């Protein structure tokens, strides 16, 4: 399919790509095993439970036990649940780590296409591409997330292969046999980007950035618009393949295909018309926005998921800004971009990704793709800024040294993200107290993750969460939380239950077990409380019942 200076060179490149895939797979599996078992909050809250609920038709049997995250698509978590049930948590985790390692061959191809444009010998091109690949995939967040279910570096595989396919399709250095193959590769690139968004909506900035990049490719605006249209439609197809079923289900149930997100637009009657967006990490001033990559390394809240100084995004930020300034003031830089629009377009991809991410999230792990692309993007930026090879080489080496130090420093701090735990025979090592909860309704309060307990409980036990991060935003009183259709559904289910009640909450969250329970006419029997111990947060479970008449 790919024709370089000879078909033999194309075969050699294919073999190098497969070798990179194999070596990265082994490396990531070893890193994941050495780090320990995934114990991130989202895993305990919804990654494991959502797959279980989806496969066992418990969406309305339980009601929102994983809080607002109950309504997130379970599709990406189903393979991990299946693998865990069939082969155990170690095999499932290492399987995910191996898949996450498949970023590496995509990065190798991206780096190869960039370096090949400098007309180096084949051996030098391969060697430099391998070096950039090692620096790229051993990014701090990749080290932290290897083998976890967070999804950020799992979907990064789709995004990075989308970039690789797009660059292969439009490269002047690796020409393709036939226009049909070029069209197919562009469509595949956009399809992969759409799949990434459908699997995890926070990948939206990458799909938007890829479409922006497409507008730079082509000799005429009509050609660019044709490519843009092809890729927009392919992205939509990929999104529908990954998210279409779940989106339709949510629309059918709640009249909002993204429920509970963007409800200020869809106006579902199941909750207030508010946007449940995490504003914790966003900059609050113009200066904070402009200098965010430097400030978030000093601001503990913005990096609470990691315990290391992450220098990749600041390096990428400075490189992109300097390259942009060169385009404004240097005819040589503009000529360079005109001659090499494809690799230069990577900086537009970076810019669109970063700005969109900054406005929507400002959560560092959602930016893992740019962390991985930083070494290659630095090379592209340096090629725009510097005319002389020695200047470009010095700038690249300085930036890559900084990137390497960042990764090394992260590795010294261990795997802080997700609070890894030791490997055990069962996933959560749950020890239920001797309560007979079969057939009962367990009401859940508080904000702690606890849905991970449900797959180990008797299957006829219903878990109904009456307050959570779903109904805090936009409500001024307990009563107001339930003045919507979801609250009405909760009241109806609690009122119709004719079995026993229990109340469950985390340590330190006893105060949540009062006002909301009272709203439903339920009281907690405090002298009956017991502890559910596990690898996750300990939970208190108490008998409860309807208010007793005086």
């Amino acid at each position: 399919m790919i024709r370089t200076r000879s078909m033999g060179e194309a075969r050699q490149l294919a073999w190098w790509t497969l070798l990179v895939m194999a070596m990265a797979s082994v490396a990531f599996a070893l890193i994941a095993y050495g780090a320990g078992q995934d114990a991130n909050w989202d895993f305990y809250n919804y990654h494991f439970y959502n797959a279980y609920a989806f496969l066992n038709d418990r969406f309305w049997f339980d009601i929102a036990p994983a809080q607002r995250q109950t309504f997130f698509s379970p599709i990406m978590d189903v393979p991990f649940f299946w693998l865990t049930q069939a082969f155990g948590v170690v095999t499932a985790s290492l399987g995910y780590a191996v898949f996450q390692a498949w970023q590496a061959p995509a990065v190798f191809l991206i780096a190869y296409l960039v370096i090949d444009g400098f007309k180096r010998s084949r051996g030098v091109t391969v060697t430099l591409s391998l070096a950039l690949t090692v620096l790229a995939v051993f990014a701090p967040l990749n080290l932290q997330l290897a083998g976890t279910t967070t999804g950020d570096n799992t979907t990064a595989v789709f995004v990075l292969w989308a970039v690789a396919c797009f660059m292969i399709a439009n490269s002047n250095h690796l020409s393709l046999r036939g226009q049909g193959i070029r069209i197919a590769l562009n469509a595949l690139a956009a399809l992969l980007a759409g799949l990434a968004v459908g699997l995890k909506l926070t990948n939206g900035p990458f799909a938007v950035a890829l479409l922006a990049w497409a507008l730079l490719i082509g000799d005429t605006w009509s050609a660019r618009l044709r490519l843009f249209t092809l890729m927009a439609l392919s992205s939509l197809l990929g999104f529908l393949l990954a998210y279409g079923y779940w989106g339709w289900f949510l629309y059918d149930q709640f009249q909002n295909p993204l429920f509970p997100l963007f409800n200020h637009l869809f106006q579902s009657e199941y909750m207030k018309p508010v946007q449940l967006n995490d504003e914790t990490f966003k900059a609050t001033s113009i200066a904070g926005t402009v200098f965010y990559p430097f400030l978030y390394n000093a601001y503990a809240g913005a990096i609470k998921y990691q315990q290391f100084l992450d220098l990749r995004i600041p390096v990428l930020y400075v490189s992109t800004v300097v390259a942009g300034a060169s385009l404004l003031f240097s005819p040589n830089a503009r000529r360079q971009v005109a001659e090499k629009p494809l690799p230069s377009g990577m900086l537009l991809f970076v810019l669109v990704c970063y700005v969109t991410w900054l406005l929507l999230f400002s959560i560092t792990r959602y930016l893992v793709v740019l962390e991985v692309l930083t070494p290659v993007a630095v090379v592209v930026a340096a090629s725009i800024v510097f005319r002389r090879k020695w200047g470009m080489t010095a700038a690249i080496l300085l930036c890559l040294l900084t990137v390497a130090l960042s990764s090394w420093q992260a590795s010294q701090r261990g795997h802080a993200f997700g609070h890894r735990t030791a490997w055990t025979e069962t996933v959560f090592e749950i020890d239920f107290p001797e309560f007979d909860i079969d057939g009962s309704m367990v009401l859940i309060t508080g904000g702690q993750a606890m849905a991970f307990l449900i797959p180990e409980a008797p299957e006829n036990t219903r878990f109904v969460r009456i307050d959570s991060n779903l109904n805090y935003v936009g409500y001024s009183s307990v009563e107001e939380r339930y003045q919507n259709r979801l609250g009405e559904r909760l009241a109806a289910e609690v009122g119709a239950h004719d079995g026993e009640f229990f109340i469950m909450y985390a340590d330190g969250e006893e105060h949540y077990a009062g006002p909301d329970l009272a709203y439903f006419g339920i009281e907690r029997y405090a002298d009956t409380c017991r502890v559910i111990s596990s690898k996750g947060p300990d939970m208190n479970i108490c008998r409860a019942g309807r208010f007793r008449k005086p």
Side-chain angles (χ1 to χ4, degrees):
M1 181 179 70
I2 299 176
R3 180 163 55 84
T4 58
R5 295 181 180 89
S6 72
M7 287 305 295
E9 290 172 355
R11 285 192 293 270
Q12 186 182 46
L13 180 59
W15 279 112
W16 275 113
T17 304
L18 291 174
L19 179 62
V20 168
M21 177 181 287
M23 294 178 67
S25 297
V26 173
F28 266 58
L30 291 173
I31 290 169
Y33 187 78
Q37 185 174 313
D38 185 10
N40 75 80
W41 190 89
D42 286 345
F43 182 52
Y44 287 122
N45 187 46
Y46 76 99
H47 284 307
F48 200 77
Y49 169 77
N50 279 11
Y52 166 76
F54 177 71
L55 295 173
N56 292 277
D57 194 25
R58 292 181 70 98
F59 188 85
W60 282 119
F61 184 76
D62 301 324
I63 301 180
Q67 311 185 70
R68 73 176 69 161
Q69 289 86 357
T70 305
F71 306 96
F72 290 1
S73 172
I75 303 303
M76 189 169 60
D77 297 316
V78 167
F80 188 90
F81 184 85
W82 272 340
L83 288 169
T84 300
Q85 298 299 104
F87 305 107
V89 67
V90 175
T91 301
S93 300
L94 298 189
Y96 262 45
V98 168
F99 180 78
Q100 290 156 1
W102 293 355
Q103 302 171 29
V107 175
F108 173 73
L109 289 173
I110 294 167
Y112 185 94
L113 289 167
V114 170
I115 301 298
D116 192 53
F118 301 135
K119 297 180 170 58
R120 300 290 191 268
S121 69
R122 195 61 49 194
V124 170
T125 300
V126 170
T127 301
L128 292 177
S129 300
L130 288 172
L132 287 174
T133 300
V134 172
L135 277 175
V137 298
F138 287 99
L141 283 177
N142 259 350
L143 292 174
Q144 300 290 309
L145 300 177
T148 70
T149 60
T150 56
D152 303 289
N153 63 338
T154 305
T155 54
V157 175
F158 294 93
V159 176
L160 290 166
W161 273 104
V163 172
C165 289
F166 178 75
M167 291 189 70
I168 292 171
N170 299 289
S171 174
N172 293 324
H173 310 299
L174 297 179
S175 57
L176 301 178
R177 291 178 173 178
Q179 186 66 12
I181 294 178
R182 188 181 299 276
I183 292 172
L185 278 173
N186 278 318
L188 176 61
L191 182 77
L192 290 171
L195 286 171
V197 180
L199 291 171
K200 186 158 187 175
L201 298 177
T202 54
N203 288 306
F206 303 119
V208 172
L210 189 64
L211 292 177
W213 195 353
L215 289 174
L216 297 181
I217 307 302
D219 296 328
T220 64
W221 271 109
S222 60
R224 295 173 185 178
L225 288 174
R226 284 196 299 270
L227 177 59
F228 178 87
T229 302
L230 168 69
M231 295 186 67
L233 292 174
S234 298
S235 294
L236 178 61
L237 176 61
F239 175 76
L240 291 176
L241 287 173
Y243 192 79
Y245 167 78
W246 191 250
W248 177 256
F249 172 77
L250 292 180
Y251 181 78
D252 180 62
Q253 298 293 316
F254 303 103
Q255 295 76 57
N256 177 351
L258 301 173
F259 187 86
L261 305 176
F262 298 102
N263 204 52
H264 61 303
L265 300 177
F266 290 99
Q267 305 280 315
S268 170
E269 295 179 355
Y270 280 81
M271 62 174 288
K272 267 203 167 188
V274 295
Q275 166 64 318
L276 294 176
N277 203 25
D278 190 348
E279 305 285 334
T280 305
F281 309 119
K282 287 188 176 182
T284 56
S285 66
I286 295 176
T289 300
V290 172
F291 297 104
Y292 191 83
F294 310 97
L295 296 176
Y296 81 23
N297 279 290
Y299 170 44
I303 60 169
K304 73 173 187 177
Y305 298 125
Q306 58 201 43
Q307 294 177 358
F308 54 87
L309 186 65
D310 183 7
L311 300 175
R312 290 195 174 217
I313 300 305
V315 167
L316 182 60
Y317 183 94
V318 171
S319 300
T320 305
V321 169
V322 172
S326 295
L327 289 175
L328 288 176
F329 301 108
S330 170
N332 179 70
R334 290 192 290 272
R335 185 165 55 253
Q336 174 81 353
V337 170
E339 292 172 357
K340 299 177 180 179
L342 180 63
S344 302
M346 183 182 293
L347 296 186
L348 176 65
F349 176 84
V350 166
L351 178 64
V352 174
C353 287
Y354 174 77
V355 171
T356 309
W357 164 85
L358 187 68
L359 295 175
L360 291 177
F361 313 116
S362 298
I363 296 175
T364 51
R365 65 186 173 92
Y366 295 167
L367 213 56
V368 66
V369 167
L370 291 194
E371 286 220 337
V372 171
L373 281 178
T374 291
V376 182
V378 162
V379 173
V380 173
S383 70
I384 293 174
V385 174
F386 296 95
R387 294 184 61 182
R388 297 181 183 276
K389 290 182 179 179
W390 67 265
M392 182 175 74
T393 302
I396 290 172
L397 289 176
L398 178 61
C399 289
L400 295 186
L401 176 62
T402 304
V403 164
L405 288 174
S406 180
S407 298
W408 177 82
Q409 193 263 355
S411 69
Q412 301 308 300
R413 295 294 184 91
H415 294 261
F417 184 90
H419 309 289
R420 306 280 191 135
T421 60
W423 298 103
T424 50
E425 186 174 341
T426 63
V427 185
F428 301 112
E429 296 288 293
I430 300 169
D431 183 18
F432 279 103
E434 294 182 1
F435 275 146
D436 182 12
I437 62 173
D438 192 13
S440 66
M441 177 178 286
V442 179
L443 301 176
I444 306 171
T445 64
Q448 185 56 271
M450 57 184 71
F452 69 95
L453 300 168
I454 298 175
E456 298 298 321
E459 64 178 15
N460 290 323
T461 304
R462 300 186 69 182
F463 290 82
V464 177
R465 189 180 275 273
I466 56 175
D467 83 318
S468 67
N469 62 21
L470 177 64
N471 56 15
Y472 288 161
V473 178
Y475 299 94
S476 58
S477 66
V478 171
E479 291 74 19
E480 193 181 358
R481 290 182 192 173
Y482 304 105
Q483 292 173 1
N484 52 52
R485 291 188 63 183
L486 184 58
E488 293 170 3
R489 179 72 180 257
L490 287 170
E493 298 289 349
V494 172
H497 180 67
D498 59 359
E500 285 194 278
F501 286 97
F502 289 83
I503 175 68
M504 189 164 67
Y505 53 89
D507 281 342
E509 295 190 337
E510 293 86 353
H511 56 287
Y512 290 112
D516 289 88
L517 274 181
Y519 177 85
F520 292 98
I522 304 292
E523 62 179 336
R524 173 180 66 119
Y525 304 151
D527 58 340
T528 67
C529 295
R530 300 291 185 273
V531 175
I532 304 174
S533 61
S534 69
K535 292 187 70 173
D538 287 344
M539 298 295 157
N540 297 287
I541 186 168
C542 315
R543 292 188 180 276
R546 303 190 192 280
F547 280 142
R548 300 164 180 165
K549 294 181 179 180

